[in-house]
């Protein structure tokens, strides 16, 4: 595919263009809930601000995208073989609280129109009332509307001069039925992410960074009385939140959660990182045991005159849900990058 390619124009702090590059939305570093680098980029047009715009005491940034998603060649052809994705993300900061931003984002999937995606189709979706669902036939609708929403609210504070960053995000799969539904059961089909980073500057100029992130998208107790499922799955667009079969958001969100703690040392000659990860694969049918993987990775990035080397070693232990199929795995890799 064209990879991280883009053509754009910039006028008065506004950007517009066409791209196949990945989008990363929200404050999460390792597990962005809505859009991440996990899947290949998809072709889309975009329009938004080139950095925060000053509106009195506020600092506002926003971005709107519209594009087409493709299914995996191994999937059966269906209504969702080609889908449209439209989305909007916006964040607001305050001059009196530098480093703080609060934002929200939402994306929609729909069947790709035979006549192609038009501007009015994009506007009708991104401006759709988030507190009014198109109900299924059993709840008073005609059951034919294929559109699906995934949304989140988030906040991040990079404390100036302190070397500390904290952030959080709450995500939700699908529309609420109404505002009351959100107020009474905000955790239905929901997830949350909490994370931090702390950086110390050492006397020799190197940087030592400690970061951690927790993503929890496990089904809540509401699943005992109300239909609920993991993120990124919906009908009748059965391909879900994917591009060529890969999840567009966080892989751990589909399984029920992902945690990470990393210690990183950065110098002028490279980087060394030790990382612990925990990945959960939760069965759709509850209650049932979970499948959990713990992994420890040690990797380096070594700068050389004509080539950069990146050796890596990972040891992973899988705790199988049936308690009899646990497995220990080892992975080693060596990557080189030429430059001149």
């Amino acid at each position: 595919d064209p990879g991280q390619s883009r053509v754009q124009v910039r006028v008065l702090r506004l950007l517009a263009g066409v791209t196949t590059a990945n989008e990363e939305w929200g404050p999460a570093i390792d597990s962005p809930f809505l859009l991440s680098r996990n899947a290949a980029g998809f072709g889309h047009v975009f329009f938004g601000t080139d950095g925060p715009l000053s509106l009195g005491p506020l600092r506002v940034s926003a971005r709107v995208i519209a594009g087409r998603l493709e299914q995996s060649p191994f999937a059966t052809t269906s209504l969702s073989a080609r889908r449209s994705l439209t989305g909007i993300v916006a964040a607001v900061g305050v001059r009196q609280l530098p480093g703080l931003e609060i934002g929200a984002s939402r994306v929609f999937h729909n069947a790709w129109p035979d006549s192609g995606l038009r501007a009015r189709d994009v506007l009708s979706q991104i401006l759709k009332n988030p507190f009014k669902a198109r109900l299924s036939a059993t709840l008073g609708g005609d059951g034919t509307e294929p559109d699906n929403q995934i949304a989140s609210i988030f906040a991040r504070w990079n404390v100036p001069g302190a070397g500390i960053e904290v952030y959080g995000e709450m995500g939700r799969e699908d529309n609420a039925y109404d505002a009351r539904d959100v107020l009474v059961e905000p955790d239905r089909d929901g997830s949350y992410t909490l994370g931090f980073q702390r950086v110390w500057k050492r006397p020799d100029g190197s940087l030592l960074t400690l970061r951690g992130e927790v993503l929890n998208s496990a089904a809540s107790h509401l699943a005992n009385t109300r239909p609920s499922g993991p993120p990124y799955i919906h009908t009748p667009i059965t391909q879900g939140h994917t591009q060529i079969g890969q999840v567009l958001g966080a892989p751990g969100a589909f399984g029920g959660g992902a945690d990470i703690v990393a210690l990183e040392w950065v110098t002028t000659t490279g980087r060394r990182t030790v990382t612990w990860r925990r990945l959960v694969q939760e069965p759709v049918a509850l209650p049932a045991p979970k499948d959990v993987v713990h992994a420890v990775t040690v990797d380096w990035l070594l700068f050389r005159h004509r080539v950069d080397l990146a050796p890596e070693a990972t040891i992973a232990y899988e705790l199988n849900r049936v308690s009899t199929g646990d497995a220990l795995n080892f992975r080693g890799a060596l990557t080189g990058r030429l430059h001149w």
Side-chain angles (χ1 to χ4, degrees):
D1 59 51
Q4 306 299 308
S5 303
R6 74 177 69 235
V7 177
Q8 65 183 30
V9 294
R10 179 181 184 271
V11 179
L12 300 176
R13 300 293 306 280
L14 297 177
L15 283 176
V18 180
T19 180
T20 56
N22 288 100
E23 299 272 343
E24 289 187 274
W25 287 11
I29 298 172
D30 294 281
S31 298
F33 180 68
L34 251 65
L35 293 174
S36 72
R37 290 182 174 272
N38 181 66
F42 59 94
H44 62 278
V45 297
F46 64 90
F47 175 77
T49 60
D50 183 18
L53 299 181
S54 296
L55 299 176
L58 302 180
R59 301 290 182 266
V60 180
S61 57
R63 188 176 182 92
V64 175
I65 66 171
R68 189 172 74 183
L69 301 176
E70 306 289 344
Q71 72 172 12
S72 164
F74 300 100
T76 56
T77 302
S78 67
L79 170 68
S80 53
R82 284 185 172 181
R83 298 149 288 142
S84 67
L85 183 147
T86 58
I88 182 170
V89 58
V92 178
V94 182
R95 181 192 304 168
Q96 289 76 11
L97 294 172
L100 175 66
E101 65 175 6
I102 299 173
S105 56
R106 62 194 306 208
V107 298
F108 280 95
H109 304 98
N110 217 326
W112 185 259
D114 293 337
S115 58
L117 195 63
R118 296 164 295 185
R120 66 182 183 184
D121 299 325
V122 177
L123 290 175
S124 66
Q125 291 191 26
I126 64 175
L127 297 178
K128 178 184 174 184
N129 187 345
F131 304 124
K132 185 177 182 181
R134 296 179 178 179
L135 304 180
S136 65
T138 58
L139 295 172
D142 61 18
T144 62
E145 303 87 353
D147 64 329
N148 180 76
Q149 175 188 241
I150 308 175
S152 77
I153 57 175
F154 57 84
R156 181 179 73 95
W157 194 6
N158 187 351
V159 184
I164 299 174
E165 178 185 12
V166 292
Y167 56 86
E169 183 174 22
M170 291 185 63
R172 179 163 177 146
E173 167 73 46
D174 216 346
N175 280 74
Y177 292 141
D178 50 32
R180 178 183 177 86
D181 183 26
V182 175
L183 294 174
V184 173
E185 296 180 341
D187 56 334
R188 178 178 179 265
D189 290 340
S191 70
Y192 68 83
T193 304
L194 297 173
F196 77 94
Q197 281 196 104
R198 177 70 168 96
V199 180
W200 294 271
K201 188 172 183 178
R202 298 167 61 87
D204 60 0
S206 63
L207 301 176
L208 185 64
T209 302
L210 176 66
R211 76 175 191 271
E213 188 174 287
V214 174
L215 166 65
N216 189 328
S217 59
S220 72
H221 64 284
L222 295 175
N224 295 323
T225 58
R226 187 176 178 184
S228 182
Y232 311 145
I233 292 181
H234 44 271
T235 57
I237 298 182
T238 55
Q239 303 302 346
H241 190 50
T242 64
Q243 162 70 347
I244 318 180
Q246 299 296 313
V247 172
L248 285 164
F254 173 75
D259 310 316
I260 182 172
V261 176
L263 183 64
E264 192 168 73
W265 182 30
V266 181
T267 70
T268 56
T269 60
R271 170 185 52 80
R272 303 175 189 176
T273 309
V274 179
T275 307
W276 166 81
R277 289 183 174 88
R278 174 180 176 267
L279 187 66
V280 178
Q281 180 61 58
E282 186 174 69
V284 175
L286 296 175
K290 300 178 180 180
D291 193 280
V292 181
V293 178
H294 290 264
V296 176
T297 299
V298 179
D299 64 278
W300 298 262
L301 176 58
L302 307 174
F303 298 143
R304 295 295 182 261
H305 182 59
R306 293 298 182 188
V307 62
D308 298 335
L309 299 176
E312 174 195 327
T314 298
I315 186 169
Y317 187 60
E318 180 185 6
L319 302 169
N320 193 277
R321 63 170 58 92
V322 298
S323 304
T324 58
D326 297 347
L328 183 68
N329 292 280
F330 175 80
R331 174 182 181 271
L334 175 62
T335 304
R337 181 178 62 184
L338 297 172
H339 54 84
W340 50 88

